[in-house]
Amino acid sequence: METIHKDVARIMLTSEEIDVRVREIAKQLDKLYEGRTPVVICILKGSVVFFSDLIRNMETPLTIDFMAVSSYGSGTKSTGELTIKKDLATDIQGRDVLIVEDIIDSGNTLYNLKKLLNARLPSSVNIVTLLDKPERREVPMEPDYTCFVIEDEFVVGYGLDYAEQYRNLPYVGVLKRSVYEN
Ligand code: IMP
Ligand code: MG
């Protein structure tokens, strides 16, 4: 049993459940990249916990890099704007790219990011996400690998934040409405 934070209404995914699923996905990725050396990209900051667990469970040789982006379009409005706050240090031309994301919501961030990275002529781009909220999609964006499909609830922990808090919780939990409705 994990101790629950006072701002969390319920634990959606325990650290054990996450661990089992991350290992499964890592094995599938090892198979996909057999004989190749992908560059695995952590999308900061939300993916950092998932990313570090995922790569430690992968056996295929790989390199890592980091990118920070922000997608404009709030609430119900979606725009095509994507701002790079921190770019890759790696030249991805001719490389196999694996994008590691924490959660896909509207899909705008990854839709735009994939377009941007494809313009740099990698030999492949795949997306792995910890969480997917397909109900919320505004643009066509299907991840290649998904650990968990979840309902439309605002979740925190295991890297995911609300106002930069809660990233260090070891589980994924549903944030109490009272926290963000005040
Ligand atoms: P998208 O462009 O709407 O797909 O945005 C995805 C981004 O929104 C994620 O990388 C998260 O930073 C944030 N996000 C969406 N849903 C949640 C959630 O339930 N908890 C925490 N962050 C979320
Ligand atoms: Mg975030």
PDB file of all heavy atoms in Angstrom, residues 33 36-42 51 55 58 60-66 88-100 117 122-126:
ATOM      1  N   TYR A  33      13.733  -2.284 -31.982  1.00  0.00           N
ATOM      2  CA  TYR A  33      15.012  -1.657 -32.340  1.00  0.00           C
ATOM      3  C   TYR A  33      16.170  -2.644 -32.445  1.00  0.00           C
ATOM      4  O   TYR A  33      17.322  -2.229 -32.468  1.00  0.00           O
ATOM      5  CB  TYR A  33      15.343  -0.555 -31.337  1.00  0.00           C
ATOM      6  CG  TYR A  33      14.435   0.641 -31.482  1.00  0.00           C
ATOM      7  CD1 TYR A  33      13.557   1.007 -30.471  1.00  0.00           C
ATOM      8  CD2 TYR A  33      14.441   1.400 -32.657  1.00  0.00           C
ATOM      9  CE1 TYR A  33      12.716   2.104 -30.614  1.00  0.00           C
ATOM     10  CE2 TYR A  33      13.601   2.494 -32.810  1.00  0.00           C
ATOM     11  CZ  TYR A  33      12.742   2.837 -31.787  1.00  0.00           C
ATOM     12  OH  TYR A  33      11.919   3.917 -31.940  1.00  0.00           O
ATOM     13  N   ARG A  36      19.640  -1.958 -34.081  1.00  0.00           N
ATOM     14  CA  ARG A  36      19.752  -0.516 -34.318  1.00  0.00           C
ATOM     15  C   ARG A  36      20.080   0.200 -33.005  1.00  0.00           C
ATOM     16  O   ARG A  36      19.992  -0.385 -31.936  1.00  0.00           O
ATOM     17  CB  ARG A  36      18.424   0.029 -34.878  1.00  0.00           C
ATOM     18  CG  ARG A  36      18.085  -0.580 -36.241  1.00  0.00           C
ATOM     19  CD  ARG A  36      16.855   0.050 -36.840  1.00  0.00           C
ATOM     20  NE  ARG A  36      15.614  -0.468 -36.291  1.00  0.00           N
ATOM     21  CZ  ARG A  36      14.418   0.094 -36.477  1.00  0.00           C
ATOM     22  NH1 ARG A  36      14.316   1.192 -37.195  1.00  0.00           N
ATOM     23  NH2 ARG A  36      13.334  -0.433 -35.958  1.00  0.00           N
ATOM     24  N   THR A  37      20.478   1.451 -33.100  1.00  0.00           N
ATOM     25  CA  THR A  37      20.793   2.256 -31.916  1.00  0.00           C
ATOM     26  C   THR A  37      19.953   3.522 -31.940  1.00  0.00           C
ATOM     27  O   THR A  37      20.363   4.545 -32.501  1.00  0.00           O
ATOM     28  CB  THR A  37      22.303   2.609 -31.889  1.00  0.00           C
ATOM     29  OG1 THR A  37      23.059   1.393 -31.930  1.00  0.00           O
ATOM     30  CG2 THR A  37      22.679   3.373 -30.624  1.00  0.00           C
ATOM     31  N   PRO A  38      18.754   3.456 -31.365  1.00  0.00           N
ATOM     32  CA  PRO A  38      17.882   4.626 -31.406  1.00  0.00           C
ATOM     33  C   PRO A  38      18.391   5.753 -30.502  1.00  0.00           C
ATOM     34  O   PRO A  38      19.144   5.508 -29.552  1.00  0.00           O
ATOM     35  CB  PRO A  38      16.551   4.084 -30.854  1.00  0.00           C
ATOM     36  CG  PRO A  38      16.929   2.937 -29.986  1.00  0.00           C
ATOM     37  CD  PRO A  38      18.134   2.319 -30.647  1.00  0.00           C
ATOM     38  N   VAL A  39      17.957   6.977 -30.812  1.00  0.00           N
ATOM     39  CA  VAL A  39      18.142   8.088 -29.873  1.00  0.00           C
ATOM     40  C   VAL A  39      16.797   8.278 -29.178  1.00  0.00           C
ATOM     41  O   VAL A  39      15.768   8.488 -29.824  1.00  0.00           O
ATOM     42  CB  VAL A  39      18.679   9.378 -30.546  1.00  0.00           C
ATOM     43  CG1 VAL A  39      17.872   9.780 -31.774  1.00  0.00           C
ATOM     44  CG2 VAL A  39      18.726  10.532 -29.546  1.00  0.00           C
ATOM     45  N   VAL A  40      16.824   8.125 -27.866  1.00  0.00           N
ATOM     46  CA  VAL A  40      15.604   8.171 -27.068  1.00  0.00           C
ATOM     47  C   VAL A  40      15.482   9.572 -26.477  1.00  0.00           C
ATOM     48  O   VAL A  40      16.393  10.041 -25.782  1.00  0.00           O
ATOM     49  CB  VAL A  40      15.625   7.085 -25.969  1.00  0.00           C
ATOM     50  CG1 VAL A  40      14.287   7.064 -25.225  1.00  0.00           C
ATOM     51  CG2 VAL A  40      15.928   5.708 -26.572  1.00  0.00           C
ATOM     52  N   ILE A  41      14.376  10.235 -26.791  1.00  0.00           N
ATOM     53  CA  ILE A  41      14.218  11.641 -26.435  1.00  0.00           C
ATOM     54  C   ILE A  41      13.216  11.823 -25.301  1.00  0.00           C
ATOM     55  O   ILE A  41      12.051  11.443 -25.422  1.00  0.00           O
ATOM     56  CB  ILE A  41      13.776  12.461 -27.662  1.00  0.00           C
ATOM     57  CG1 ILE A  41      14.850  12.364 -28.753  1.00  0.00           C
ATOM     58  CG2 ILE A  41      13.530  13.922 -27.276  1.00  0.00           C
ATOM     59  CD1 ILE A  41      14.473  13.046 -30.049  1.00  0.00           C
ATOM     60  N   CYS A  42      13.689  12.419 -24.234  1.00  0.00           N
ATOM     61  CA  CYS A  42      12.850  12.740 -23.077  1.00  0.00           C
ATOM     62  C   CYS A  42      12.256  14.127 -23.281  1.00  0.00           C
ATOM     63  O   CYS A  42      12.992  15.102 -23.441  1.00  0.00           O
ATOM     64  CB  CYS A  42      13.700  12.721 -21.820  1.00  0.00           C
ATOM     65  SG  CYS A  42      12.823  13.210 -20.324  1.00  0.00           S
ATOM     66  N   PHE A  51      10.817   8.148 -18.414  1.00  0.00           N
ATOM     67  CA  PHE A  51      11.995   7.996 -19.266  1.00  0.00           C
ATOM     68  C   PHE A  51      13.113   7.241 -18.548  1.00  0.00           C
ATOM     69  O   PHE A  51      13.699   6.300 -19.091  1.00  0.00           O
ATOM     70  CB  PHE A  51      12.471   9.396 -19.680  1.00  0.00           C
ATOM     71  CG  PHE A  51      13.748   9.447 -20.459  1.00  0.00           C
ATOM     72  CD1 PHE A  51      13.746   9.271 -21.835  1.00  0.00           C
ATOM     73  CD2 PHE A  51      14.953   9.723 -19.825  1.00  0.00           C
ATOM     74  CE1 PHE A  51      14.932   9.347 -22.559  1.00  0.00           C
ATOM     75  CE2 PHE A  51      16.136   9.801 -20.533  1.00  0.00           C
ATOM     76  CZ  PHE A  51      16.125   9.608 -21.910  1.00  0.00           C
ATOM     77  N   ILE A  55      14.332   3.553 -19.980  1.00  0.00           N
ATOM     78  CA  ILE A  55      15.648   3.260 -20.572  1.00  0.00           C
ATOM     79  C   ILE A  55      16.440   2.251 -19.741  1.00  0.00           C
ATOM     80  O   ILE A  55      17.212   1.468 -20.275  1.00  0.00           O
ATOM     81  CB  ILE A  55      16.505   4.528 -20.852  1.00  0.00           C
ATOM     82  CG1 ILE A  55      16.797   5.310 -19.578  1.00  0.00           C
ATOM     83  CG2 ILE A  55      15.836   5.398 -21.901  1.00  0.00           C
ATOM     84  CD1 ILE A  55      17.831   6.426 -19.774  1.00  0.00           C
ATOM     85  N   MET A  58      15.507  -1.128 -20.923  1.00  0.00           N
ATOM     86  CA  MET A  58      15.803  -1.475 -22.316  1.00  0.00           C
ATOM     87  C   MET A  58      17.228  -1.999 -22.405  1.00  0.00           C
ATOM     88  O   MET A  58      18.135  -1.493 -21.749  1.00  0.00           O
ATOM     89  CB  MET A  58      15.623  -0.250 -23.225  1.00  0.00           C
ATOM     90  CG  MET A  58      14.158   0.126 -23.416  1.00  0.00           C
ATOM     91  SD  MET A  58      13.936   1.670 -24.340  1.00  0.00           S
ATOM     92  CE  MET A  58      14.465   1.178 -25.982  1.00  0.00           C
ATOM     93  N   THR A  60      18.629  -2.737 -25.612  1.00  0.00           N
ATOM     94  CA  THR A  60      19.191  -2.340 -26.897  1.00  0.00           C
ATOM     95  C   THR A  60      20.149  -1.161 -26.688  1.00  0.00           C
ATOM     96  O   THR A  60      19.905  -0.320 -25.813  1.00  0.00           O
ATOM     97  CB  THR A  60      18.045  -1.967 -27.876  1.00  0.00           C
ATOM     98  OG1 THR A  60      18.571  -1.889 -29.190  1.00  0.00           O
ATOM     99  CG2 THR A  60      17.398  -0.645 -27.533  1.00  0.00           C
ATOM    100  N   PRO A  61      21.260  -1.109 -27.434  1.00  0.00           N
ATOM    101  CA  PRO A  61      22.117   0.071 -27.294  1.00  0.00           C
ATOM    102  C   PRO A  61      21.344   1.317 -27.729  1.00  0.00           C
ATOM    103  O   PRO A  61      20.606   1.267 -28.715  1.00  0.00           O
ATOM    104  CB  PRO A  61      23.297  -0.215 -28.234  1.00  0.00           C
ATOM    105  CG  PRO A  61      22.900  -1.366 -29.076  1.00  0.00           C
ATOM    106  CD  PRO A  61      21.775  -2.086 -28.397  1.00  0.00           C
ATOM    107  N   LEU A  62      21.512   2.390 -26.996  1.00  0.00           N
ATOM    108  CA  LEU A  62      20.761   3.607 -27.319  1.00  0.00           C
ATOM    109  C   LEU A  62      21.531   4.829 -26.857  1.00  0.00           C
ATOM    110  O   LEU A  62      22.445   4.729 -26.035  1.00  0.00           O
ATOM    111  CB  LEU A  62      19.364   3.550 -26.672  1.00  0.00           C
ATOM    112  CG  LEU A  62      19.260   3.321 -25.158  1.00  0.00           C
ATOM    113  CD1 LEU A  62      19.467   4.595 -24.357  1.00  0.00           C
ATOM    114  CD2 LEU A  62      17.896   2.748 -24.796  1.00  0.00           C
ATOM    115  N   THR A  63      21.156   5.984 -27.386  1.00  0.00           N
ATOM    116  CA  THR A  63      21.660   7.246 -26.860  1.00  0.00           C
ATOM    117  C   THR A  63      20.450   8.041 -26.382  1.00  0.00           C
ATOM    118  O   THR A  63      19.314   7.730 -26.750  1.00  0.00           O
ATOM    119  CB  THR A  63      22.451   8.055 -27.908  1.00  0.00           C
ATOM    120  OG1 THR A  63      21.567   8.454 -28.963  1.00  0.00           O
ATOM    121  CG2 THR A  63      23.594   7.238 -28.500  1.00  0.00           C
ATOM    122  N   ILE A  64      20.696   9.032 -25.541  1.00  0.00           N
ATOM    123  CA  ILE A  64      19.571   9.817 -25.019  1.00  0.00           C
ATOM    124  C   ILE A  64      19.766  11.295 -25.324  1.00  0.00           C
ATOM    125  O   ILE A  64      20.881  11.778 -25.532  1.00  0.00           O
ATOM    126  CB  ILE A  64      19.383   9.626 -23.491  1.00  0.00           C
ATOM    127  CG1 ILE A  64      20.582  10.165 -22.700  1.00  0.00           C
ATOM    128  CG2 ILE A  64      19.118   8.156 -23.158  1.00  0.00           C
ATOM    129  CD1 ILE A  64      20.356  10.187 -21.188  1.00  0.00           C
ATOM    130  N   ASP A  65      18.639  11.990 -25.348  1.00  0.00           N
ATOM    131  CA  ASP A  65      18.693  13.446 -25.460  1.00  0.00           C
ATOM    132  C   ASP A  65      17.416  14.028 -24.854  1.00  0.00           C
ATOM    133  O   ASP A  65      16.483  13.281 -24.544  1.00  0.00           O
ATOM    134  CB  ASP A  65      18.883  13.887 -26.915  1.00  0.00           C
ATOM    135  CG  ASP A  65      19.591  15.241 -27.014  1.00  0.00           C
ATOM    136  OD1 ASP A  65      19.606  15.991 -26.010  1.00  0.00           O
ATOM    137  OD2 ASP A  65      20.117  15.551 -28.096  1.00  0.00           O
ATOM    138  N   PHE A  66      17.424  15.345 -24.702  1.00  0.00           N
ATOM    139  CA  PHE A  66      16.338  16.013 -23.986  1.00  0.00           C
ATOM    140  C   PHE A  66      15.810  17.178 -24.805  1.00  0.00           C
ATOM    141  O   PHE A  66      16.570  17.855 -25.503  1.00  0.00           O
ATOM    142  CB  PHE A  66      16.840  16.527 -22.634  1.00  0.00           C
ATOM    143  CG  PHE A  66      17.351  15.418 -21.761  1.00  0.00           C
ATOM    144  CD1 PHE A  66      18.673  14.982 -21.865  1.00  0.00           C
ATOM    145  CD2 PHE A  66      16.502  14.776 -20.880  1.00  0.00           C
ATOM    146  CE1 PHE A  66      19.143  13.933 -21.093  1.00  0.00           C
ATOM    147  CE2 PHE A  66      16.955  13.718 -20.097  1.00  0.00           C
ATOM    148  CZ  PHE A  66      18.278  13.296 -20.197  1.00  0.00           C
ATOM    149  N   LEU A  88      17.319  19.718 -29.022  1.00  0.00           N
ATOM    150  CA  LEU A  88      18.210  18.571 -28.942  1.00  0.00           C
ATOM    151  C   LEU A  88      19.654  19.000 -29.180  1.00  0.00           C
ATOM    152  O   LEU A  88      19.912  19.961 -29.898  1.00  0.00           O
ATOM    153  CB  LEU A  88      17.834  17.552 -30.029  1.00  0.00           C
ATOM    154  CG  LEU A  88      16.424  16.985 -29.963  1.00  0.00           C
ATOM    155  CD1 LEU A  88      16.141  16.150 -31.215  1.00  0.00           C
ATOM    156  CD2 LEU A  88      16.274  16.141 -28.707  1.00  0.00           C
ATOM    157  N   ALA A  89      20.582  18.237 -28.623  1.00  0.00           N
ATOM    158  CA  ALA A  89      22.000  18.430 -28.921  1.00  0.00           C
ATOM    159  C   ALA A  89      22.426  17.465 -30.027  1.00  0.00           C
ATOM    160  O   ALA A  89      23.509  17.608 -30.599  1.00  0.00           O
ATOM    161  CB  ALA A  89      22.836  18.205 -27.663  1.00  0.00           C
ATOM    162  N   THR A  90      21.579  16.485 -30.325  1.00  0.00           N
ATOM    163  CA  THR A  90      21.896  15.430 -31.287  1.00  0.00           C
ATOM    164  C   THR A  90      21.405  15.788 -32.683  1.00  0.00           C
ATOM    165  O   THR A  90      20.296  16.298 -32.830  1.00  0.00           O
ATOM    166  CB  THR A  90      21.162  14.124 -30.860  1.00  0.00           C
ATOM    167  OG1 THR A  90      21.449  13.863 -29.491  1.00  0.00           O
ATOM    168  CG2 THR A  90      21.566  12.944 -31.713  1.00  0.00           C
ATOM    169  N   ASP A  91      22.233  15.494 -33.691  1.00  0.00           N
ATOM    170  CA  ASP A  91      21.773  15.573 -35.079  1.00  0.00           C
ATOM    171  C   ASP A  91      21.021  14.273 -35.357  1.00  0.00           C
ATOM    172  O   ASP A  91      21.616  13.190 -35.351  1.00  0.00           O
ATOM    173  CB  ASP A  91      22.983  15.715 -36.009  1.00  0.00           C
ATOM    174  CG  ASP A  91      22.575  15.733 -37.486  1.00  0.00           C
ATOM    175  OD1 ASP A  91      21.347  15.751 -37.776  1.00  0.00           O
ATOM    176  OD2 ASP A  91      23.478  15.718 -38.341  1.00  0.00           O
ATOM    177  N   ILE A  92      19.718  14.374 -35.601  1.00  0.00           N
ATOM    178  CA  ILE A  92      18.909  13.151 -35.740  1.00  0.00           C
ATOM    179  C   ILE A  92      18.768  12.681 -37.189  1.00  0.00           C
ATOM    180  O   ILE A  92      18.100  11.683 -37.439  1.00  0.00           O
ATOM    181  CB  ILE A  92      17.499  13.318 -35.110  1.00  0.00           C
ATOM    182  CG1 ILE A  92      16.708  14.444 -35.783  1.00  0.00           C
ATOM    183  CG2 ILE A  92      17.617  13.557 -33.601  1.00  0.00           C
ATOM    184  CD1 ILE A  92      15.226  14.453 -35.402  1.00  0.00           C
ATOM    185  N   GLN A  93      19.402  13.372 -38.123  1.00  0.00           N
ATOM    186  CA  GLN A  93      19.313  12.938 -39.516  1.00  0.00           C
ATOM    187  C   GLN A  93      19.823  11.499 -39.657  1.00  0.00           C
ATOM    188  O   GLN A  93      20.929  11.176 -39.212  1.00  0.00           O
ATOM    189  CB  GLN A  93      20.113  13.868 -40.431  1.00  0.00           C
ATOM    190  CG  GLN A  93      19.963  13.467 -41.898  1.00  0.00           C
ATOM    191  CD  GLN A  93      20.465  14.525 -42.881  1.00  0.00           C
ATOM    192  OE1 GLN A  93      20.931  15.598 -42.488  1.00  0.00           O
ATOM    193  NE2 GLN A  93      20.369  14.215 -44.158  1.00  0.00           N
ATOM    194  N   GLY A  94      18.991  10.648 -40.229  1.00  0.00           N
ATOM    195  CA  GLY A  94      19.368   9.245 -40.426  1.00  0.00           C
ATOM    196  C   GLY A  94      19.272   8.378 -39.169  1.00  0.00           C
ATOM    197  O   GLY A  94      19.596   7.192 -39.214  1.00  0.00           O
ATOM    198  N   ARG A  95      18.831   8.962 -38.055  1.00  0.00           N
ATOM    199  CA  ARG A  95      18.722   8.206 -36.799  1.00  0.00           C
ATOM    200  C   ARG A  95      17.307   7.674 -36.595  1.00  0.00           C
ATOM    201  O   ARG A  95      16.348   8.205 -37.126  1.00  0.00           O
ATOM    202  CB  ARG A  95      19.065   9.108 -35.592  1.00  0.00           C
ATOM    203  CG  ARG A  95      20.487   9.639 -35.556  1.00  0.00           C
ATOM    204  CD  ARG A  95      21.521   8.566 -35.247  1.00  0.00           C
ATOM    205  NE  ARG A  95      21.287   7.833 -34.008  1.00  0.00           N
ATOM    206  CZ  ARG A  95      21.732   8.193 -32.801  1.00  0.00           C
ATOM    207  NH1 ARG A  95      22.445   9.289 -32.666  1.00  0.00           N
ATOM    208  NH2 ARG A  95      21.488   7.454 -31.729  1.00  0.00           N
ATOM    209  N   ASP A  96      17.205   6.623 -35.785  1.00  0.00           N
ATOM    210  CA  ASP A  96      15.908   6.130 -35.339  1.00  0.00           C
ATOM    211  C   ASP A  96      15.565   6.868 -34.051  1.00  0.00           C
ATOM    212  O   ASP A  96      16.301   6.764 -33.072  1.00  0.00           O
ATOM    213  CB  ASP A  96      15.964   4.617 -35.098  1.00  0.00           C
ATOM    214  CG  ASP A  96      16.199   3.871 -36.400  1.00  0.00           C
ATOM    215  OD1 ASP A  96      15.326   3.972 -37.287  1.00  0.00           O
ATOM    216  OD2 ASP A  96      17.251   3.209 -36.538  1.00  0.00           O
ATOM    217  N   VAL A  97      14.463   7.601 -34.092  1.00  0.00           N
ATOM    218  CA  VAL A  97      14.095   8.468 -32.973  1.00  0.00           C
ATOM    219  C   VAL A  97      12.922   7.862 -32.198  1.00  0.00           C
ATOM    220  O   VAL A  97      11.911   7.473 -32.788  1.00  0.00           O
ATOM    221  CB  VAL A  97      13.703   9.873 -33.503  1.00  0.00           C
ATOM    222  CG1 VAL A  97      13.104  10.740 -32.404  1.00  0.00           C
ATOM    223  CG2 VAL A  97      14.912  10.567 -34.128  1.00  0.00           C
ATOM    224  N   LEU A  98      13.079   7.804 -30.895  1.00  0.00           N
ATOM    225  CA  LEU A  98      11.972   7.384 -30.031  1.00  0.00           C
ATOM    226  C   LEU A  98      11.639   8.544 -29.096  1.00  0.00           C
ATOM    227  O   LEU A  98      12.459   8.946 -28.263  1.00  0.00           O
ATOM    228  CB  LEU A  98      12.351   6.144 -29.205  1.00  0.00           C
ATOM    229  CG  LEU A  98      11.280   5.655 -28.216  1.00  0.00           C
ATOM    230  CD1 LEU A  98      10.009   5.197 -28.938  1.00  0.00           C
ATOM    231  CD2 LEU A  98      11.825   4.535 -27.323  1.00  0.00           C
ATOM    232  N   ILE A  99      10.438   9.085 -29.256  1.00  0.00           N
ATOM    233  CA  ILE A  99       9.984  10.192 -28.412  1.00  0.00           C
ATOM    234  C   ILE A  99       9.270   9.609 -27.193  1.00  0.00           C
ATOM    235  O   ILE A  99       8.359   8.795 -27.336  1.00  0.00           O
ATOM    236  CB  ILE A  99       9.000  11.119 -29.167  1.00  0.00           C
ATOM    237  CG1 ILE A  99       9.642  11.695 -30.430  1.00  0.00           C
ATOM    238  CG2 ILE A  99       8.484  12.229 -28.259  1.00  0.00           C
ATOM    239  CD1 ILE A  99       8.660  12.481 -31.318  1.00  0.00           C
ATOM    240  N   VAL A 100       9.697  10.038 -26.010  1.00  0.00           N
ATOM    241  CA  VAL A 100       9.070   9.554 -24.775  1.00  0.00           C
ATOM    242  C   VAL A 100       8.240  10.682 -24.167  1.00  0.00           C
ATOM    243  O   VAL A 100       8.774  11.719 -23.781  1.00  0.00           O
ATOM    244  CB  VAL A 100      10.133   9.068 -23.766  1.00  0.00           C
ATOM    245  CG1 VAL A 100       9.462   8.534 -22.504  1.00  0.00           C
ATOM    246  CG2 VAL A 100      11.023   7.997 -24.394  1.00  0.00           C
ATOM    247  N   LEU A 117      10.279  17.306 -36.012  1.00  0.00           N
ATOM    248  CA  LEU A 117      11.409  16.367 -36.030  1.00  0.00           C
ATOM    249  C   LEU A 117      11.527  15.672 -37.381  1.00  0.00           C
ATOM    250  O   LEU A 117      12.634  15.413 -37.858  1.00  0.00           O
ATOM    251  CB  LEU A 117      11.285  15.351 -34.888  1.00  0.00           C
ATOM    252  CG  LEU A 117      11.419  15.942 -33.479  1.00  0.00           C
ATOM    253  CD1 LEU A 117      11.338  14.836 -32.432  1.00  0.00           C
ATOM    254  CD2 LEU A 117      12.714  16.735 -33.309  1.00  0.00           C
ATOM    255  N   PRO A 122      15.025  12.188 -39.907  1.00  0.00           N
ATOM    256  CA  PRO A 122      15.421  10.968 -39.185  1.00  0.00           C
ATOM    257  C   PRO A 122      15.015   9.756 -40.018  1.00  0.00           C
ATOM    258  O   PRO A 122      14.181   9.878 -40.922  1.00  0.00           O
ATOM    259  CB  PRO A 122      14.579  11.031 -37.910  1.00  0.00           C
ATOM    260  CG  PRO A 122      13.364  11.811 -38.300  1.00  0.00           C
ATOM    261  CD  PRO A 122      13.842  12.825 -39.318  1.00  0.00           C
ATOM    262  N   SER A 123      15.605   8.570 -39.750  1.00  0.00           N
ATOM    263  CA  SER A 123      15.159   7.421 -40.543  1.00  0.00           C
ATOM    264  C   SER A 123      13.851   6.857 -40.014  1.00  0.00           C
ATOM    265  O   SER A 123      13.095   6.246 -40.769  1.00  0.00           O
ATOM    266  CB  SER A 123      16.251   6.367 -40.718  1.00  0.00           C
ATOM    267  OG  SER A 123      16.579   5.801 -39.520  1.00  0.00           O
ATOM    268  N   SER A 124      13.524   7.075 -38.753  1.00  0.00           N
ATOM    269  CA  SER A 124      12.191   6.719 -38.248  1.00  0.00           C
ATOM    270  C   SER A 124      11.876   7.546 -37.010  1.00  0.00           C
ATOM    271  O   SER A 124      12.786   8.014 -36.318  1.00  0.00           O
ATOM    272  CB  SER A 124      12.120   5.227 -37.904  1.00  0.00           C
ATOM    273  OG  SER A 124      12.939   4.933 -36.783  1.00  0.00           O
ATOM    274  N   VAL A 125      10.579   7.724 -36.749  1.00  0.00           N
ATOM    275  CA  VAL A 125      10.131   8.382 -35.517  1.00  0.00           C
ATOM    276  C   VAL A 125       9.024   7.536 -34.904  1.00  0.00           C
ATOM    277  O   VAL A 125       8.027   7.246 -35.571  1.00  0.00           O
ATOM    278  CB  VAL A 125       9.590   9.813 -35.769  1.00  0.00           C
ATOM    279  CG1 VAL A 125       9.062  10.422 -34.470  1.00  0.00           C
ATOM    280  CG2 VAL A 125      10.659  10.714 -36.365  1.00  0.00           C
ATOM    281  N   ASN A 126       9.215   7.114 -33.674  1.00  0.00           N
ATOM    282  CA  ASN A 126       8.166   6.410 -32.943  1.00  0.00           C
ATOM    283  C   ASN A 126       7.881   7.160 -31.655  1.00  0.00           C
ATOM    284  O   ASN A 126       8.756   7.843 -31.118  1.00  0.00           O
ATOM    285  CB  ASN A 126       8.590   4.969 -32.620  1.00  0.00           C
ATOM    286  CG  ASN A 126       8.419   4.050 -33.810  1.00  0.00           C
ATOM    287  OD1 ASN A 126       7.315   3.617 -34.133  1.00  0.00           O
ATOM    288  ND2 ASN A 126       9.505   3.793 -34.507  1.00  0.00           N
TER     289      ASN A 126
END
